[in-house]
Structures are given as C-alpha cells and as structure tokens.
Amino acid sequence: PGACRPGQPLWQAAQSFDSGLRNGIRRRHHLAALTTLGLLTPKTPAKADGVVKLLDARGPGNMCMTLLDVSGFPNRIGDWRLSAVQFASGMSISGYLMLTAAVGQDELALNLGYIDDIISPRRAETLIENTTAALRKAVSEVTATSEER
C-alpha cells in the first residue's frame, strides 16, 4: 500500500502507489495469489457453495481500475457516427469496486461499478464524487503550474 494522507497532492500520492506497484511487479509479488486458486477450486460442483461463502466472509475484496486511451478510437464505423466513447468492465469474484476511465483527446469518462450488497449506492456516489473532485483539483494544479512558467 502507498502512503496517502489528507491534503496530499494527488500526483504525490499516485507516485507512491506507482512505485509500490512497480517494485511488487519487479519482485513478481503481483502473481503471489495465483497459487491459492488451486486451494480454492472446489473438487466438485456440489462444493462450490462453500468457496463462495468463504469469499463472502473473508474477502479478499479489492478495487480494480482500468485506464483506456480512446483518443485513437474511430469517430465513424460505416454509417454510424460515434462520440463520447466509454467502456464498462466486470469484476472478478473478489472485486468490490471497478473504476473504468476512458481518456480521449479532450475528455475523460469515468464509470464505477460496485457490489451493491457490499458498497451502498450512497457510498459509491461519494467515491465517484471524491474521485472527480480530486481529478479536477489535480488538473487545475497542473494548469496553474504550466501558466506560471
């Protein structure tokens, strides 16, 4: 986990997460959980309920983020005119939240998916509002810094 404290600039927090992820990948820790799949796989379909109950009770809940650069996406396909391209993604069995960000030439689209019995709609709305507020603040900081130069 990266260190993130209230009021910390977004890019500084992101740098900590990025550094931790890169170190984990270099040490191949991102693959560490793969060996547990064999332990969790039920021996028969009749035993699948036990695995689901175990995951529901003990996690490991996680949040995933997918960033897609759609700036090269075509604006026409045959007779169809396309605009405001967005993507949604599904979660794995252990996911609680999935944020998909589509970055175009002059726009950003965010889609947040969540498990309703774990994350309330109100909490999901707060998460997306806080995310967009942090992004807007980061953009204004970058813009202000660029204008000072």
Side-chain angles (χ1 to χ4, degrees), residues 4 8 18 26 54-55 59 66 72 74 88 108 115 122-123 134 140 145 149:
C4 187
Q8 181 179 23
D18 183 63
R26 185 177 40 78
L54 174 68
L55 289 172
T66 301
L108 168 68
I115 303 299
R122 184 174 180 183
R123 177 68 177 142
S140 68
T145 302
R149 293 182 184 163

Side-chain angles (χ1 to χ4, degrees), residues 49-92:
D49 286 350
V51 173
V52 172
K53 286 178 185 173
L54 174 68
L55 289 172
D56 284 345
R58 299 196 174 261
N62 63 46
M63 178 186 173
C64 301
M65 180 177 175
T66 301
L67 175 63
L68 302 161
D69 180 355
V70 297
S71 58
F73 202 85
N75 59 4
R76 292 194 81 75
I77 298 178
D79 292 337
W80 291 356
R81 185 176 148 355
L82 307 174
S83 64
V85 176
Q86 295 187 37
F87 292 88
S89 179
M91 287 175 252
S92 71

Side-chain angles (χ1 to χ4, degrees), residues 70-135:
V70 297
S71 58
F73 202 85
N75 59 4
R76 292 194 81 75
I77 298 178
D79 292 337
W80 291 356
R81 185 176 148 355
L82 307 174
S83 64
V85 176
Q86 295 187 37
F87 292 88
S89 179
M91 287 175 252
S92 71
I93 192 170
S94 64
Y96 287 0
L97 291 164
M98 177 66 183
L99 180 66
T100 303
V103 180
Q105 292 179 352
D106 292 321
E107 57 187 36
L108 168 68
L110 297 173
N111 289 293
L112 180 69
Y114 59 93
I115 303 299
D116 194 28
D117 291 340
I118 297 172
I119 307 293
S120 71
R122 184 174 180 183
R123 177 68 177 142
E125 186 69 29
T126 299
L127 288 169
I128 200 69
E129 287 173 0
N130 289 346
T131 300
T132 55
L135 288 169

